[in-house]
């Protein structure tokens, strides 16, 4: 490292400026608008109802942050914002950012209190209604939420479908399947696999539409149930993505034991999310995600590959390994 | 550009996680504590009153973000956090981050409303007391605030003292001088310069202590006044840092005209802050700072070098140029 840099400190410390600017752009559906056709400052201002005072600064800040391009006074999406932030494309990942904008940004304002009390700092803290209960009670919001979950996991789902050796297995179940993108990608890439998506009954119609849209009706089925109240469906490969970090240590161990019971000898458990590196010094996203579990849950936390393989071995899995997927995500594999 | 990257979008969109984590660490004076001596997880948890649930995730996230180092279970500052985030060192730049943590983070949550109304979104919006009035009414808070302003401008102040050709000039005034770091650095580097710090009378004792600590009592003086209600003190070089962006276009022009009247023929006006590049596509910090002026002021905005040299020429300055200082900061020079 050369001379210490003050501007890196300021850039991260004031990083909420760039973050909130992008979140407001997603909220206003700026990228969805520009995916229809490039527009000038005047056209965009009218379309998004921007006051003239700061409209140009807002759009040019997004240019400088590489989320827009501007040529001859006309604003265009970049290839990546066009692909990932156009709400009408299936590749949209803005759902998570919409939630961050409406909820998490505000709740993270109470991080210091969370760190000092160990208590969640979301709606629960202020006695507001549980947002997830509300989401699950409203079919349209539920569909949006489950689609958002697909958005944030799609890249990793594709990687698992390619990288995990499904050859030799006949069945796979995705526990907490949501819209079903993981089991869909696995089934599309591995014609030998019969798939089950396991989630609460209310998820069924959203799952079934998605599977039908991918022409997998015969081979991928929904099984309603709760991974707390019901046994996990039997399958050669049990997969759990972005589930385990929601829960405390005892709950994590119990879930892994339940999956063990669902798997035949020689079968596999695949757990994936933003697995923290064993030295806990590199995967900043995984460590920050764990602080997000502090904000959002009573006892959840993220964990390292070594933590997870340890729990797997306790449950009886005889061989384990960790494999990187994409970005901050890895999968932890246990073989029974 | 290679394949579009979803993780860059997520990283910026959720960038408030890293930002708030650093702001909470500054709030807790973690770096000031570690500057005294490195500490273990248990020691730091006790000292900062961290709940055991997330203490380790919090500290390890700061390791992964390169703000701490961890060796054999002991946490250390990095060279840059030790220099810039230890409250007891004069090089401390955390004052601005303390303010960001207490105020700006929350106000930026209303960015979308600001963009649609053109109205400030700080305490003014909710009818709370004006925080700057409160700061200026309390000598201890004022001292902290003025020191914070030194923290964010010190690097640029040093650069101006070195880069601007003060040879041949005899006097310089810093308009809105605060603690007086700019005029102090200019006087230290240029023994030919007699300096004046110009600011509200309440600032005098803080300024005078700083000048005395730098052994410049004879050569650098305070002149009380308001740059709106009083004439700007006459000097060969008039300097204004982080002032002009607070004001609307007409006020900017008026301030530049007032400086013109204070400068002799051949004298210079030096305006500096996060000057936006003329193409408005690169200096993201300057563009985001302009959005911060939306949040904080009724009409303020940041501007390009071309904007500023244009206003200088309107006021009568005959030659102008823009010169980069450090990080996002540049100076705009007008010669009368």
């Amino acid at each position: 490292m050369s001379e210490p840099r003050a501007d890196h400190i300021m850039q991260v410390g004031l990083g909420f400026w760039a973050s909130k600017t992008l979140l407001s752009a997603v909220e206003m559906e700026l990228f969805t608008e520009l995916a229809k056709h490039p527009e000038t400052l005047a056209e965009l201002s009218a379309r998004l109802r921007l006051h003239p005072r700061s409209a140009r600064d807002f759009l040019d800040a997004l240019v400088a942050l590489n989320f827009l391009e501007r040529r001859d006074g006309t604003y265009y999406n970049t290839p990546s914002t066009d692909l990932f932030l156009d709400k009408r494309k299936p590749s949209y990942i803005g759902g998570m950012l919409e939630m961050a904008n409406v909820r998490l940004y505000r709740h993270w304002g109470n991080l210091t209190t969370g760190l000092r009390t160990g208590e969640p700092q979301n709606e629960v803290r202020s006695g507001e209604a549980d947002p997830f209960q509300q989401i699950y009670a409203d079919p349209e919001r539920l569909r949006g939420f489950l689609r958002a979950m697909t958005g944030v996991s799609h890249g990793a789902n594709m990687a698992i479908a390619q990288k995990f050796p499904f050859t030799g297995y006949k069945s796979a179940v995705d526990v907490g399947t949501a819209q079903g993108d993981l089991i869909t990608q696995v089934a599309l890439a591995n014609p030998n696999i019969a798939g089950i998506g396991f989630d609460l009954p209310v998820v069924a119609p959203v799952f079934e539409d998605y599977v039908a849209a991918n022409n997998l009706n015969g081979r991928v089925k929904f099984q309603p149930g709760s991974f707390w109240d019901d046994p996990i469906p039997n399958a050669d490969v049990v997969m759990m993505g972005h589930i385990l970090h929601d829960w405390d240590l005892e709950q994590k161990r119990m879930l892994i034991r339940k999956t063990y019971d669902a798997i035949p000898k020689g079968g596999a458990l695949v757990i994936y999310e933003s697995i923290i590196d064993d030295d806990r010094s590199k995967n900043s996203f995984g460590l920050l995600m764990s602080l997000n579990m502090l904000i959002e849950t009573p006892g959840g936390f993220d964990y390292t590959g070594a933590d997870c393989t340890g729990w797997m071995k306790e449950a009886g899995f005889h061989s384990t390994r960790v494999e990187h997927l994409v970005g901050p995500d890895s999968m932890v594999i246990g073989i029974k």
Side-chain angles (χ1 to χ4, degrees), chain A residues 271-309:
Chain A
I271 286 174
Y272 93 88
E273 50 200 318
S274 296
I275 304 292
I276 299 167
D277 58 296
D278 287 348
D279 189 46
R280 296 173 56 87
S281 64
K282 287 167 205 75
N283 188 350
S284 57
F285 189 83
L287 288 156
L288 293 169
M289 181 62 89
S290 198
L291 295 181
N292 194 49
M293 293 301 111
L294 164 66
I295 300 289
E296 287 272 65
T297 72
F301 61 92
D302 289 72
Y303 47 87
T304 65
D307 293 334
C308 190
T309 56

Side-chain angles (χ1 to χ4, degrees), chain A residues 147-168:
Chain A
R147 197 183 156 205
M149 295 303 100
T150 297
V152 294
S153 62
H154 181 70
N157 295 343
M158 299 276 284
I160 293 170
Q162 299 297 332
K163 289 188 177 186
F164 182 84
F166 283 100
T167 325

Side-chain angles (χ1 to χ4, degrees), chain A residues 19-87:
Chain A
S19 182
K20 190 61 184 65
T21 299
L22 178 57
L23 296 182
S24 284
V26 170
E27 176 187 358
M28 292 178 184
E29 305 189 3
L30 166 63
F31 306 102
T32 304
E33 183 59 28
L34 287 180
K36 296 177 202 160
H37 39 70
E39 291 185 21
T40 62
L41 173 62
E43 288 163 344
L44 270 175
S45 295
R47 197 79 69 170
L48 308 181
R49 293 178 291 118
L50 294 173
H51 188 277
R53 177 176 171 192
S54 301
R56 199 165 159 227
D57 289 340
F58 173 57
L59 297 172
D60 287 345
L62 292 164
V63 171
L65 293 166
N66 295 318
F67 295 122
L68 292 181
E69 290 169 13
R70 193 195 57 227
R71 293 192 292 276
D72 298 327
T74 299
Y75 293 91
Y76 298 75
N77 281 337
T78 63
S80 63
T81 54
D82 204 68
L83 182 60
F84 294 121
L85 294 178
D86 173 8
K87 211 163 184 164

Side-chain angles (χ1 to χ4, degrees), chain A residues 179-181 184-185 188 208-217:
Chain A
Q179 199 177 22
D181 186 61
T184 294
Q185 300 310 324
L188 287 173
E208 277 155 6
D209 285 354
Y210 193 75
V211 167
N214 284 280
N215 298 312
L216 287 167
N217 298 46

Side-chain angles (χ1 to χ4, degrees), chain A residues 222-259:
Chain A
F222 187 77
Q223 180 162 335
S226 149
F227 51 70
W228 291 120
D229 305 332
D230 302 303
I232 286 170
N234 292 335
D236 295 342
V237 181
V238 173
M239 305 182 289
M240 276 200 297
H242 302 119
I243 300 290
L244 215 57
H245 73 161
D246 284 337
W247 307 99
D248 69 26
L249 180 59
E250 209 28 68
Q251 291 166 321
K252 282 176 167 73
R253 285 177 162 141
M254 185 185 303
L255 274 176
I256 291 176
R257 284 196 300 270
K258 283 186 82 163
T259 62

